[in-house]
Amino acid sequence: MIGLQLGRMSPREAERLLAFDREHIWHPYAAMPAATPVHPVVSAAGTRLTLADGTELIDGMSSWWAAIHGYDVPELNAAATRQLGKMAHVMFGGLTHPAAVHLAERLVALTPEPLTKVFFADSGSVAVEVAIKMALQYWRSRGRPERHRLLTVRGGYHGDTFGDMAVCDPVNGMHHLFSDVLAKHVFAPPPPLGHTADPDPAYLDDLANLAAAHAHELAGIIVEPIVQGAGGMRFYAPEYLRALRDIADEHGILLILDEIATGFGRTGELWGCDHAEVTPDIMCLGKALTGGYLTMAATLCTDRVADGIASGEAGTLMHGPTFMANPLAAAVASASIDLLLSRDWRDEVDTIEAHLTTGLAGAEELPGVADVRVLGAIGVVEAREPVDVQAVQDIAMACGVWLRPFGKLVYTMPPYVSTEDDIDHITSALWAIAESL
Ligand SMILES: *Cc1c(COP(=O)(O)O)cnc(C)c1O
């Protein structure tokens, strides 16, 4: 009997769980046994996480970009319960189900028009693997197997599997650990910082030249549109994305946009690519797709890509996860999309952007702070030096806020349903942290 229940847990029970956790369970990017403590969450509702000792924390992270509606959301609970009454899961090979079709209808309608074909993956990392596989199979089918490399920019993050790692930032992604097994792709420098900055003509020239030099071997270009997430929380100007679209068109290369972090309104537009009014050939979705309830992702592509793959030797797309199109996740995803569209999400995100902007104004003057930036419902305080994760978390928790920094970056992407009071707490915590740097 583990004794997990709503509300509090006895200190002894919490200590027992934590002791087992420390010795036996890996956490993200963590040592085994654990080098740093974790905190036991027993429930979550709205924008609040409740810890075993009854402490409530305002969630500044949306569980890594996912819980855009907060927690314990009646509409999503109802969708999950309804679907449970029908079936939790069924294989997708040779079978289909209403939950998958209803979700695919929404995704095709909501994503940029040329994207018509949907592949359901079980995590963001797999969605990117599938995108890469689509691009490589496309060129193989077209009789151009030498087009098997990807062009990307430094500072990116696309997931943790080997195919994805090969397009992550080589330094952050620790390519040196795996250099003998990672595919060798073509890296441009990171796009210059600044969502509203004027584009740098020299950067654009270099990008065009790099693409031209490698065009004969390039299957695709892959980037995160407008916001580079876990690779550095960097915002860049739409002109760079437009340039990549032009370069892709000029050389017939496929443009893959990884919208796993940026999708579903986070940047103030429904899709990151909407800032630049460009459309990709392949798009990856994840994270907020199910409103943070269940693991599911999707890779969409155009008719051209799908037809290309179909015309080849294999004829089929060689991928098929066991839990592909999981009905429970699909039902919740449709409910999450409907809920998002039923609310004035744009106004919610704009309001959060305005509050983060005013709340953090002036923090960039602090000696330990290199930069402060806000875009949509994303706020970033970049330190001059890598931060002490433990110390930063302790300050945030003392302010009643949950934040999880990495490297030099202390950042927030709160649920869209956060109140002004929630955002004020979060910016107070960020200030306290910034002052401590
Ligand atoms: C989180 C993320 C991924 C990986 O998704 P997982 O669900 O963690 O596998 C890929 N690309 C981007 C841009 C992400 O933010």
Side-chain angles (χ1 to χ4, degrees):
M1 173 70 193
I2 291 199
L4 266 181
Q5 35 187 234
L6 280 183
R8 282 158 196 257
M9 186 187 295
S10 77
R12 255 185 73 204
E13 182 58 11
E15 196 35 61
R16 199 191 70 76
L17 290 185
L18 287 172
F20 190 90
D21 187 292
R22 196 157 49 235
E23 292 301 320
H24 298 282
I25 311 179
W26 256 299
H27 284 261
Y29 311 101
M32 175 65 74
T36 53
V38 293
H39 303 279
V41 182
V42 291
S43 66
T47 57
R48 301 290 200 279
L49 310 178
T50 303
L51 304 188
D53 64 1
T55 304
E56 278 196 357
L57 298 177
I58 294 168
D59 179 23
M61 300 299 289
S62 297
S63 283
W64 277 336
W65 316 80
I68 53 176
H69 310 294
Y71 301 88
D72 194 19
V73 182
E75 292 86 345
L76 304 194
N77 292 354
T81 308
R82 257 195 322 274
Q83 184 58 44
L84 266 178
K86 297 171 190 155
M87 64 189 156
H89 183 64
V90 66
M91 66 186 282
F92 212 50
L95 298 173
T96 192
H97 49 78
V101 178
H102 293 157
L103 176 57
E105 284 174 335
R106 285 168 174 77
L107 294 179
V108 169
L110 215 56
T111 55
E113 201 174 299
L115 300 168
T116 54
K117 314 292 193 211
V118 185
F119 186 103
F120 287 115
D122 40 13
S123 74
S125 295
V126 172
V128 174
E129 290 283 347
V130 169
I132 295 172
K133 195 176 277 188
M134 282 178 177
L136 298 193
Q137 264 199 254
Y138 172 83
W139 287 109
R140 246 164 220 280
S141 297
R142 302 270 317 264
R144 302 286 303 277
E146 73 285 4
R147 283 200 161 207
H148 63 167
R149 298 180 75 191
L150 299 164
L151 174 77
T152 187
V153 292
R154 289 176 184 266
Y157 176 77
H158 297 285
D160 290 341
T161 54
F162 278 88
D164 302 348
M165 274 199 295
V167 287
C168 289
D169 183 84
V171 178
N172 294 340
M174 295 210 186
H175 280 201
H176 65 276
L177 284 180
F178 311 106
S179 54
D180 52 338
V181 286
L182 287 184
K184 300 274 182 284
H185 295 303
V186 180
F187 285 86
L193 270 180
H195 176 59
T196 55
D198 285 336
D200 174 0
Y203 180 87
L204 289 171
D205 281 350
D206 290 349
L207 201 56
N209 292 337
L210 186 67
H214 290 279
H216 61 284
E217 55 174 354
L218 288 178
I221 297 173
I222 179 166
V223 293
E224 297 152 277
I226 304 301
V227 174
Q228 294 185 294
M233 300 301 293
R234 304 172 79 262
F235 311 151
Y236 65 89
E239 284 84 354
Y240 297 115
L241 195 55
R242 246 173 263 148
L244 288 171
R245 177 72 270 178
D246 291 345
I247 288 168
D249 289 341
E250 186 183 342
H251 301 290
I253 307 166
L254 301 173
L255 180 64
I256 304 169
L257 293 184
D258 179 351
E259 294 260 10
I260 290 168
T262 48
F264 301 102
R266 179 57 67 177
T267 67
E269 296 286 348
L270 190 58
W271 312 116
C273 64
D274 290 346
H275 289 272
E277 293 173 341
V278 303
T279 67
D281 302 294
I282 301 173
M283 184 191 242
C284 302
L285 302 176
K287 290 203 160 102
L289 174 62
T290 65
Y293 265 49
L294 289 148
T295 176
M296 173 176 251
T299 309
L300 284 90
C301 74
T302 60
D303 289 351
R304 169 191 164 207
V305 173
D307 293 348
I309 292 168
S311 71
E313 172 210 336
T316 54
L317 180 62
M318 295 306 290
H319 218 100
T322 305
F323 287 96
M324 187 168 182
N326 172 251
L328 206 47
V332 174
S334 285
S336 175
I337 291 171
D338 292 349
L339 180 58
L340 181 72
L341 299 180
S342 76
R343 291 206 317 259
D344 196 347
W345 62 266
R346 202 179 278 276
D347 185 59
E348 291 171 347
V349 171
D350 285 352
T351 304
I352 292 172
E353 179 177 46
H355 270 76
L356 288 174
T357 304
T358 48
L360 295 176
E364 69 281 2
E365 310 290 338
L366 293 167
V369 174
D371 189 37
V372 172
R373 45 190 184 264
V374 174
L375 180 67
I378 312 169
V380 182
V381 174
E382 181 164 347
R384 293 197 184 278
E385 302 294 333
V387 303
D388 176 341
V389 172
Q390 211 50 48
V392 164
Q393 269 182 195
D394 287 349
I395 298 172
M397 289 175 73
C399 299
V401 173
W402 173 246
L403 296 173
R404 177 83 180 157
F406 70 89
K408 299 176 183 173
L409 299 158
V410 189
Y411 63 106
T412 181
M413 54 263 185
Y416 302 167
V417 294
S418 301
T419 62
E420 295 180 10
D421 190 53
D422 290 337
I423 302 298
D424 288 346
H425 272 88
I426 292 170
T427 55
S428 301
L430 287 168
W431 261 100
I433 292 161
E435 281 166 344
S436 77
L437 296 172

